[in-house]
Amino acid sequence: MLFLTTTALFFAQYALLAAALPPTRRQATAPAQYTANPKIGGGGSTFRESAHFRVYNTTSLSIADSTLKFLEAAHQCFVEELGWRTPGLSIKTGGVGKEVGPWYKLNVYAVPPSFMPGAAGQQGTDGNAGLAYLNVVHEYVGNAAVVVHEFGHAMHYSEENWVNQGRTGAWWEPIANFIADLYVATPTCEKAKSAAGLSTNGNTDINLQKVIGDSYQVIVDGMGDTANYYQSWPFLSYITNNPDNYSGLGKSILLDMIRKYKINSNDTPLHSLSNLLSGDVTIQKVVGRYWARMAFVDIGHAKAAAAFTAQRKNLKYANLDNNGNGKYTVKSARAPRYMGSNIIPLKTTASTVSVTITSSGTYTATFAVKGSSATRYVNLAGGTGSVTVASGEEVMLVIANTPALVQYDPFSISSDVNKGMSYSIQLTGATA
Ligand SMILES: *[C@@H]1O[C@H](CO)[C@@H](O)[C@H](O)[C@H]1NC(C)=O
Ligand SMILES: *[C@@H]1O[C@H](CO)[C@@H](O)[C@H](O)[C@H]1NC(C)=O
């Protein structure tokens, strides 16, 4: 409530200010060097700085210098090239496209582990100033994955629309992990990293044990020890890379989800995504195909696909009970929950594999068929279908629970939303 009041007041003031200013001042250009602002996060006397950042309190200045180098590359990649709003701008000085400045350097503080037990980094906020800052435990200040994750939070905060929207809360972590993964493990920031003389050979930290091994969970679930929200970023990777060429998805989809969010609606991010889709590309189709592509991690992410090849034999796939004669029933503990799925590897016994699915739920089912080069996808409309499998091809059956969207808070999922969808299948030409 306090936030809403402050925002409303601020907009009233801003409207006056904007009317009184000449147009050039209303949309100023960012300076090459942002201004230092030691008031944000506490300041200090020991720091190094670059055009857009200050790094305080590291154990050595050379650590600060190397952090500044990769932060500047991240700034170049995400702010200059991909168009994220810079954390150098306050959320109180103009929205996207009508920035008035001033532009401040983002402060990063190296802190002892006791500062935040169990965490490597943390994004702090000066709510009055509308500016973020970062705290990073000494050991991780040189770790680009950790620091760029926190930088991702700071950009997300600067974008403002998802601030104080409870149902978007748990998505802050997959978004920050996605930003870090884009930076470290994909070609997205290669140009900026190369220009800064940085290595472009980082590894992905995709957690397949969780994303595939526990794919039955609610797609973003922030609850307790079994939560899967930090790990759920491959969904963002899929909708950004858009390997299915679905209209609406693509390179700017995440920014669109934030910028075109219904202001103060407290909608879930899936609602925001759904509003950007059109025609026969529904949110159910997008989620269903995401899971189908996770069968072989075919989401336009080379390092994630390589991680799957390396780890697949250790992943957990025990989703079904075998009732004999090709009939199987999902184990109740692994029945797919809201927008979750089961990925079921099949052993083919004939050249045609057929399935009939029986369920009272609403689901999207797909055969993922991997050949030596490409993987193809066969939609199982109405829960039934077949595919002809060539020698050397491998098949997985993917069943995603894709009902109508519901408003839910991933930190407090109701038993209804967390309820598994039971189903049984009849297979011919393969065993599960
Ligand atoms: C950084 O060091 C200064 C002393 O230079 C200290 O006052 C400040 O609390 C430190 N900041 C953090 C976040 O630890
Ligand atoms: C999507 O478009 C790209 C580029 O045109 C193409 O290479 C790819 O095969 C398309 N994918 C699908 C699934 O149609």
Side-chain angles (χ1 to χ4, degrees):
M1 267 332 278
L2 185 61
F3 177 84
L4 291 180
T5 313
T6 317
T7 309
L9 268 178
F10 157 67
F11 281 126
Q13 283 165 3
Y14 176 72
L16 280 174
L17 183 68
L21 289 168
T24 46
R25 181 71 205 285
R26 264 185 268 150
Q27 194 169 343
T29 312
Q33 295 271 334
Y34 292 3
T35 307
N37 191 354
K39 289 202 293 281
I40 308 302
S45 53
T46 314
F47 62 84
R48 297 287 269 189
E49 64 188 334
S50 60
H52 307 101
F53 300 92
R54 260 195 185 188
V55 176
Y56 287 91
N57 294 8
T58 49
T59 49
S60 83
L61 293 178
S62 67
I63 293 176
D65 287 341
S66 80
T67 303
L68 288 169
K69 200 166 173 183
F70 66 70
L71 275 173
E72 285 295 343
H75 185 275
Q76 171 63 28
C77 177
F78 291 104
V79 175
E80 303 296 342
E81 294 169 18
L82 295 176
W84 282 78
R85 191 170 188 269
T86 171
L89 284 165
S90 165
I91 65 171
K92 300 189 171 182
T93 54
V96 170
K98 46 181 192 268
E99 285 87 1
V100 296
W103 281 261
Y104 292 120
K105 295 186 186 192
L106 179 69
N107 293 337
V108 180
Y109 296 90
V111 297
S114 58
F115 195 94
M116 42 182 166
Q122 176 191 73
Q123 176 242 316
T125 314
D126 183 325
N128 289 326
L131 290 165
Y133 59 94
L134 313 182
N135 294 316
V136 183
V137 172
H138 284 291
E139 182 188 345
Y140 296 102
V141 178
N143 183 321
V146 169
V147 178
V148 175
H149 171 109
E150 303 306 333
F151 176 63
H153 282 316
M155 290 193 299
H156 190 178
Y157 178 75
S158 179
E159 288 284 335
E160 195 188 4
N161 287 353
W162 287 12
V163 173
N164 269 22
Q165 302 297 298
R167 293 190 187 118
T168 71
W171 286 65
W172 285 65
E173 297 304 344
I175 286 176
N177 267 355
F178 172 59
I179 297 283
D181 184 80
L182 279 178
Y183 179 81
V184 173
T186 77
T188 310
C189 298
E190 262 178 14
K191 192 162 141 250
K193 289 190 289 187
S194 298
L198 292 161
S199 159
T200 55
N201 196 26
N203 283 325
T204 180
D205 75 345
I206 192 168
N207 186 338
L208 296 171
Q209 300 278 355
K210 191 69 195 173
V211 185
I212 290 180
D214 289 345
S215 63
Y216 67 88
Q217 283 186 252
V218 173
I219 189 164
V220 175
D221 170 346
M223 297 216 298
D225 292 344
T226 58
N228 74 337
Y229 60 131
Y230 279 86
Q231 301 87 347
S232 62
W233 61 264
F235 179 66
L236 299 174
S237 195
Y238 168 72
I239 61 177
T240 299
N241 295 334
N242 193 16
D244 292 299
N245 301 324
Y246 287 159
S247 78
L249 303 185
K251 212 171 163 192
S252 65
I253 187 66
L254 176 55
L255 270 180
D256 287 343
M257 285 166 66
I258 298 169
R259 291 186 179 172
K260 295 176 183 166
Y261 186 77
K262 278 192 204 145
I263 302 299
N264 285 327
S265 61
N266 198 19
D267 271 354
T268 76
L270 290 176
H271 285 79
S272 200
L273 173 57
S274 176
N275 293 341
L276 298 168
L277 305 174
S278 60
D280 71 341
V281 182
T282 61
I283 187 75
Q284 289 76 18
K285 183 170 176 170
V286 169
V287 171
R289 180 54 63 90
Y290 161 64
W291 284 118
R293 282 189 173 267
M294 285 306 288
F296 297 100
V297 192
D298 177 28
I299 57 171
H301 189 317
K303 286 182 177 167
F308 171 72
T309 302
Q311 297 172 28
R312 59 176 299 180
K313 64 179 180 302
N314 298 319
L315 300 177
K316 195 167 42 179
Y317 287 108
N319 296 310
L320 305 179
D321 286 324
N322 188 345
N323 306 325
N325 299 319
K327 210 165 151 46
Y328 301 82
T329 306
V330 67
K331 291 179 191 294
S332 63
R334 292 181 64 84
R337 304 173 186 181
Y338 180 64
M339 298 296 178
S341 74
N342 288 149
I343 296 172
I344 303 160
L346 302 180
K347 283 194 188 67
T348 53
T349 55
S351 59
T352 299
V353 176
S354 306
V355 69
T356 298
I357 300 161
T358 307
S359 176
S360 58
T362 306
Y363 58 89
T364 303
T366 315
F367 278 137
V369 185
K370 185 176 167 56
S372 55
S373 54
T375 301
R376 58 203 166 93
Y377 299 90
V378 178
N379 295 326
L380 299 166
T384 185
S386 61
V387 65
T388 304
V389 182
S391 123
E393 283 190 322
E394 191 183 350
V395 188
M396 295 201 198
L397 169 64
V398 181
I399 301 175
N401 178 5
T402 53
L405 289 183
V406 297
Q407 296 288 3
Y408 85 102
D409 175 355
F411 289 130
S412 170
I413 303 178
S414 69
S415 52
D416 233 29
V417 173
N418 226 356
K419 191 162 161 249
M421 180 191 78
S422 66
Y423 64 86
S424 59
I425 64 173
Q426 175 71 58
L427 273 176
T428 58
T431 58

